Amino acid sequence: MDGFVDFFAAADPRLALLALTLHLANIAFRSLAWTNVLRAAYPDRRVPLLGIAGAYAAGMALNSFVPARGGDVAKIALARTRIRGSSVPAIGSSMGVLAAFDAVVGATVILLLAAFGRIPSPPGLPGLPAVPGSVVGHPWLVGVAAVLLAGAGLAAGRRWAPRACSLWQSFRQGFAILGSPRRYATEVVPVQLAAWTCRIGAAYFLLAALKGGDDGAYLIG
């Protein structure tokens, strides 16, 4: 424990403060991007930036110790209280707009690191288990199961079709900004790129700060 405390005590406070500032800027930029997505989904409602930022920050904090991305559920619930007449599906799908961009940027970063040989080779995967012989020997069981599942799906579809249509409309509402490419390109893309820049910078300067002393002092002059 003493070694752990000494490790952080030796950190460069200037670089640590810079990393913290960039981390807060990352949260601010991501909150702004989400607010712009929600404003496109609810053009006739008031979508407060500070309220959405608080919801995002609270959910992000919960994600650090709640399993299965439980903080995202908190983000949706808190954001819904800030937007009058909003729905959970619409707010949830609005987060998907940000997640899709993050996936593209993350994949690009990984590909670039792999191209420059900065990622170690993945370990070998174990072999897949063999298909049970009882299933292979009785293909008619698979056919009967498929027919039963198809029949159950049709019956459920007729009953839940109106509700499913309403749910789909709510999901589409969250992606409304994608219907305006120019607005998406000006209000979301540059803001998320700024957030990613701050995120990478925060990680870089935090690692430099943990080196402590003069090792990273040149970074801030």
Side-chain angles (χ1 to χ4, degrees):
M1 183 64 180
D2 292 337
F4 181 79
V5 173
D6 293 339
F7 178 72
F8 279 95
D12 187 325
R14 297 170 299 173
L15 294 177
L17 179 61
L18 181 55
L20 176 61
T21 302
L22 289 172
H23 177 65
L24 294 176
N26 169 45
I27 297 176
F29 279 124
R30 293 186 66 83
S31 299
L32 176 58
W34 192 24
T35 300
N36 290 338
V37 172
L38 289 171
R39 284 174 176 171
Y42 294 100
D44 57 339
R45 314 284 172 82
R46 180 176 177 272
V47 181
L49 174 59
L50 290 180
I52 299 303
Y56 187 90
M60 187 175 181
L62 286 174
N63 272 336
S64 62
F65 59 88
V66 176
R69 305 289 298 181
D72 289 348
V73 177
K75 290 179 188 178
I76 296 172
L78 292 172
R80 187 173 184 273
T81 65
R82 299 298 182 180
I83 306 174
R84 178 180 53 85
S86 59
S87 66
V88 170
I91 295 177
S93 61
S94 71
M95 294 179 62
V97 176
L98 305 182
F101 184 89
D102 288 340
V104 172
V105 174
T108 302
V109 171
I110 292 174
L111 289 175
L112 288 175
L113 292 175
F116 287 97
R118 299 298 181 179
I119 298 180
S121 301
L125 298 177
L128 297 176
V131 178
S134 58
V135 176
V136 177
H138 300 83
W140 61 271
L141 291 176
V142 179
V144 172
V147 171
L148 292 176
L149 288 174
L154 289 174
R158 291 180 178 179
R159 180 177 180 180
W160 298 100
R163 185 172 296 182
C165 290
S166 177
L167 184 63
W168 173 244
Q169 291 299 324
S170 295
F171 273 110
R172 287 186 59 187
Q173 186 176 4
F175 290 104
I177 197 167
L178 297 180
S180 303
R182 184 175 181 179
R183 184 175 183 181
Y184 175 74
T186 57
E187 297 184 7
V188 178
V189 171
V191 180
Q192 282 198 269
L193 285 176
W196 267 93
T197 302
C198 293
R199 184 177 184 178
I200 295 173
Y204 176 79
F205 285 111
L206 179 60
L207 292 175
L210 293 178
K211 290 182 179 180
D214 296 331
D215 292 339
Y218 69 93
L219 293 173
I220 58 175

